[in-house]
Amino acid sequence: MATFSAISKRPFIALPFLIPSCEPVALELRRSQSSYRRTKQRLRVKPDASFGFSSNQSQDHIIFNPPSSAPSVFHTPTKFLPPDDARRTLRTDASMKIDLSPEDLPPVFNSSTEKKYHLTPSDIEEIRKLRLSDPMTWSRWKLAKRFDCSPMFIGMVCEASPQKKEIQKQVLEAVQSRWGLKRRMAREDRQLRKESWGKDE
């Protein structure tokens, strides 16, 4: 009669019922005993003494524990210094030496540019002639720089010629032809949202 014995592929250490009880075997899986001990020792770090509570202090106080670095008088706030500490005097003397007038300090807000009303009707006619004669050369920025005014004022005084508008339209179509599906759908959704602003939807 043929007998068949199935051999398990599991490791022998993972089958505790096959191990005799008289032989103690550690079933914990560790990478190495030495590395395990070093890791445990590094994790056993005692907290700093400033985090604990002494017998003469109550638990309702502020803990000031700055990082270890080069000593400086600016590390410890003045509020935490003792009343007879010399650093209080140093800081008081340094603050008294700084005597700046409001004129020496930078402005809080940028000063608004003063509006100019120096253009005459003849200047406006010249702006329109230059804009219509060569719109590619005389752009809004160049005209604003020449006549010392803002580009918005140039746009209010005269518009671009139909040829310039057609060129800008062709450039826009060339840019849109390189759009992908996602960008095109996003721009169409943006346009639909803009159209629905005035419809109270």
Side-chain angles (χ1 to χ4, degrees), residues 25 71 78 88 94 115 117 139 156 166 186:
V25 178
T78 310
R88 287 181 175 271
K115 295 182 179 181
Y117 301 95
S139 61
M156 293 168 58
E166 186 65 26

Side-chain angles (χ1 to χ4, degrees), residues 79-163:
K79 190 175 185 65
F80 297 101
L81 293 177
D84 55 346
D85 199 302
R87 288 174 288 183
R88 287 181 175 271
T89 309
L90 293 175
R91 296 180 186 181
T92 306
D93 296 342
S95 61
M96 291 177 62
K97 291 179 181 178
I98 301 175
D99 188 11
L100 296 176
S101 59
E103 291 77 11
D104 299 333
L105 298 175
V108 180
F109 302 103
N110 295 329
S111 59
S112 58
T113 57
E114 185 179 356
K115 295 182 179 181
K116 299 179 181 179
Y117 301 95
H118 60 285
L119 295 179
T120 60
S122 59
D123 295 335
I124 295 176
E125 289 295 332
E126 186 178 358
I127 290 173
R128 290 173 179 172
K129 288 180 181 179
L130 293 174
R131 184 70 167 163
L132 292 175
S133 62
D134 193 357
M136 301 302 296
T137 303
W138 294 105
S139 61
R140 293 172 58 180
W141 293 97
K142 289 185 178 180
L143 288 172
K145 187 175 181 180
R146 175 175 177 177
F147 291 93
D148 194 13
C149 60
S150 64
M152 184 181 295
F153 180 77
I154 300 295
M156 293 168 58
V157 169
C158 61
E159 295 183 356
S161 61
Q163 295 82 4

Side-chain angles (χ1 to χ4, degrees), residues 30-46:
R30 296 179 183 174
R31 184 175 58 184
S32 176
Q33 181 68 20
S34 58
S35 62
Y36 176 77
R37 188 184 300 111
R38 286 198 304 269
T39 306
K40 292 292 289 183
Q41 288 178 354
R42 290 175 181 174
L43 290 176
R44 293 171 186 166
V45 180
K46 294 183 179 180

Side-chain angles (χ1 to χ4, degrees), residues 134-199:
D134 193 357
M136 301 302 296
T137 303
W138 294 105
S139 61
R140 293 172 58 180
W141 293 97
K142 289 185 178 180
L143 288 172
K145 187 175 181 180
R146 175 175 177 177
F147 291 93
D148 194 13
C149 60
S150 64
M152 184 181 295
F153 180 77
I154 300 295
M156 293 168 58
V157 169
C158 61
E159 295 183 356
S161 61
Q163 295 82 4
K164 179 67 178 299
K165 292 182 179 180
E166 186 65 26
I167 293 173
Q168 291 178 346
K169 184 178 179 181
Q170 293 177 1
V171 171
L172 180 60
E173 291 177 354
V175 172
Q176 291 179 352
S177 63
R178 296 193 298 268
W179 286 356
L181 179 61
K182 291 184 178 180
R183 176 170 290 186
R184 189 176 300 277
M185 291 176 61
R187 294 303 175 94
E188 290 177 358
D189 293 344
R190 182 188 298 179
Q191 187 65 26
L192 291 175
R193 288 196 301 270
K194 287 183 179 180
E195 293 176 358
S196 63
W197 287 351
K199 298 179 181 179

